[in-house]
Amino acid sequence: MPLKAGGLLVTTLALALLLPAAPAQAQPQKVEVDLEHVAVTWTVSHGGFSLVMGQFRQINKAEMTFDRKDPSNSKISVEIEAASIDSNHPYRDNWIRSEAELDVWKHRTITFESTKIEKTGENTGKMTGNLTMHGVTQPVTMDVTYNKSGLHLSKKYTIDGFTAKGKLKRPDFGMKAFIPWIGEEVEFVIQLESKRANDPT
């Protein structure tokens, strides 16, 4: 027998209840961090005369989950090889690697794991997380800028680019040598690019 209008409506509603609902928004997406385009640089005062500048040359790994629609769902973790520190001065770098500072033979890596990300502007946010260095874990907060997204030159994938800036105090991590000749506060900058599948939206 042909279905009446009311029967058709009931059947349609029943089918709708059986079908999975479409997601209200895009889910957080695990993306590939491009380690060739990750840089961790830092500056510290040299007695107020100038700033000593350096970087870590080896990033062991970085993992990132990115939610473009709701950055608070995003997460990132990074592991840095502590002995890869480079301030363009071998004697100074060996001293920083020693027990007086990083003690890299005992504490081989520096790690960061985000615990909270909040949006503060159209392309800006604050990221808080746990930084472990010299065997000490302390919370740090960074100002993050979402620089841009766009197709790679090959057009095979999309790049998202970020800059994060923060500060830490050496004594908080058990490093107090030569303060104030070597500054108590260290400023650092992280540059990072991630890759994801091309998305027309």
Side-chain angles (χ1 to χ4, degrees):
M1 294 178 62
L3 288 170
K4 295 181 180 179
L8 180 60
L9 178 60
V10 170
T11 304
T12 303
L13 287 173
L15 285 172
L17 290 172
L18 291 172
L19 292 172
Q25 63 180 25
Q27 296 298 309
Q29 178 183 7
K30 188 168 184 178
V31 296
E32 178 187 352
V33 177
D34 183 0
L35 292 181
E36 293 182 0
H37 291 93
V38 176
V40 180
T41 60
W42 51 267
T43 57
V44 64
S45 172
H46 179 234
F49 298 105
S50 66
L51 292 176
V52 173
M53 307 177 72
Q55 63 180 310
F56 289 95
R57 290 197 171 274
Q58 184 175 332
I59 312 300
N60 292 336
K61 62 181 179 180
E63 297 180 350
M64 182 177 179
T65 300
F66 183 39
D67 188 335
R68 287 174 291 149
K69 293 190 176 182
D70 186 358
S72 66
N73 290 328
S74 302
K75 293 182 179 179
I76 186 167
S77 62
V78 180
E79 181 184 279
I80 300 167
E81 191 71 20
S84 71
I85 196 163
D86 182 359
S87 67
N88 198 34
H89 191 295
Y91 179 83
R92 177 170 56 216
D93 293 340
N94 283 333
W95 178 81
I96 297 173
R97 294 181 185 114
S98 74
E99 294 179 3
E101 284 292 289
L102 290 175
D103 195 2
V104 301
W105 292 271
K106 187 175 180 181
H107 308 291
R108 189 180 67 83
T109 60
I110 298 169
T111 61
F112 173 81
E113 186 168 354
S114 66
T115 56
K116 181 181 179 181
I117 298 175
E118 55 184 331
K119 191 172 181 178
T120 58
E122 185 63 28
N123 293 304
T124 59
K126 284 191 178 294
M127 177 170 64
T128 300
N130 293 320
L131 177 66
T132 301
M133 180 170 61
H134 193 232
V136 179
T137 300
Q138 292 284 349
V140 296
T141 298
M142 308 177 204
D143 293 314
V144 181
T145 301
Y146 180 30
N147 299 323
K148 66 178 289 187
S149 70
L151 286 177
H152 183 260
L153 287 173
S154 67
K155 301 192 184 325
K156 293 181 178 179
Y157 57 88
T158 295
I159 298 172
D160 293 295
F162 306 85
T163 299
K165 298 180 180 181
K167 298 178 181 179
L168 61 86
K169 291 188 175 181
R170 292 167 53 220
D172 289 346
F173 294 88
M175 296 181 287
K176 304 176 182 179
F178 297 116
I179 293 174
W181 187 253
I182 298 174
E184 178 181 41
E185 186 174 81
V186 178
E187 297 187 17
F188 59 91
V189 178
I190 301 171
Q191 305 285 353
L192 182 146
E193 292 182 13
S194 64
K195 304 176 182 179
R196 58 182 167 86
N198 294 334
D199 182 351
T201 62

